[in-house]
Amino acid sequence: MKLKKVNAAAGLLTALILMCHAGMMCVSLYTGWYNFILCKSFAHMTESLLIIHAACSLIIMFFYNDGTSVALYRKENKSLIIQRASALLMIVLIHMHTVAYAHMATGEILTTSKAIRLWVFEIIYIVTVMTHFAVSFSKAFVTLGLISSQKKFCIMQKIVYAVCTVAAIAAAGGVTVFFIGGLV
């Protein structure tokens, strides 16, 4: 199905731009250096691609269902459940992520409780995004026909899991430095 290939390509492009956004924000959070145009450009590109990817995913899920029961998914494809659950959780948490740094523009001084609350939501969001990325990345290559053997798929999965773990730790560290560093 062409829509699945379009969605896989949109997902991979979203992941690439997301990693650029996360990398730039990590640099900003760790060093205090902030380039508004660069940081916001990656954020807006990620957002635009994410909307395309999410729309394609929803169309595929609701209108091109393969007829497989949820019970079979639970037994046979735990990564699909993780993929969909993390996608839903990202949608729920995206608002918290986008407003987490609003105090910088307004000049608001965060209370300890608000800083901790924003930090917790950001950590959950980061873990959710990296979990979704980890379980989805290799599947996109299969959908695009770029991986055809189980062995290559497993090798790529291990590499992607490692990269996502390192990225999540780096991002969580940056968020911790930013929100909690000033409290201690």
Side-chain angles (χ1 to χ4, degrees):
M1 168 192 300
K2 287 183 182 180
L3 186 57
K4 282 189 175 186
K5 290 186 185 293
V6 167
N7 191 39
L12 289 173
L13 192 53
T14 303
L16 173 67
I17 301 301
L18 171 72
M19 288 306 228
C20 293
H21 170 59
M24 277 303 311
M25 293 313 298
C26 280
V27 168
S28 294
L29 294 174
Y30 279 113
T31 66
W33 176 81
Y34 184 76
N35 181 314
F36 180 81
I37 293 171
L38 194 54
C39 291
K40 287 296 183 182
S41 295
F42 282 132
H44 291 140
M45 283 189 285
T46 302
E47 179 183 41
S48 299
L49 289 165
L50 181 65
I51 290 168
I52 293 167
H53 175 57
C56 288
S57 295
L58 290 170
I59 290 168
I60 290 165
M61 191 168 83
F62 288 113
F63 298 108
Y64 294 101
N65 188 349
D66 60 7
T68 308
S69 73
V70 173
L72 180 62
Y73 281 148
R74 264 195 305 269
K75 291 178 185 173
E76 300 296 326
N77 204 345
K78 291 179 185 170
S79 71
L80 181 63
I81 299 295
I82 293 168
Q83 185 180 30
R84 289 185 178 174
S86 62
L88 289 172
L89 189 55
M90 279 191 298
I91 291 169
V92 170
L93 294 174
I94 191 76
H95 176 71
M96 287 300 295
H97 173 68
T98 58
V99 299
Y101 304 95
H103 67 280
M104 293 171 55
T106 64
E108 174 190 0
I109 304 297
L110 296 179
T111 63
T112 301
S113 64
K114 187 169 184 177
I116 291 171
R117 187 174 62 251
L118 290 172
W119 173 70
V120 168
F121 277 113
E122 279 296 285
I123 297 295
I124 293 169
Y125 183 73
I126 289 164
V127 169
T128 302
V129 168
M130 289 302 152
T131 299
H132 184 76
F133 182 46
V135 298
S136 304
F137 191 80
S138 300
K139 289 180 180 184
F141 277 82
V142 171
T143 300
L144 292 171
L146 301 172
I147 294 179
S148 56
S149 78
Q150 184 67 27
K151 182 179 179 182
K152 288 179 183 176
F153 179 81
C154 290
I155 290 168
M156 180 177 252
Q157 277 295 90
K158 288 177 184 176
I159 292 168
V160 170
Y161 286 173
V163 168
C164 287
T165 300
V166 169
I169 290 168
V175 168
T176 301
V177 166
F178 183 77
F179 285 108
I180 306 301
L183 299 177
V184 290

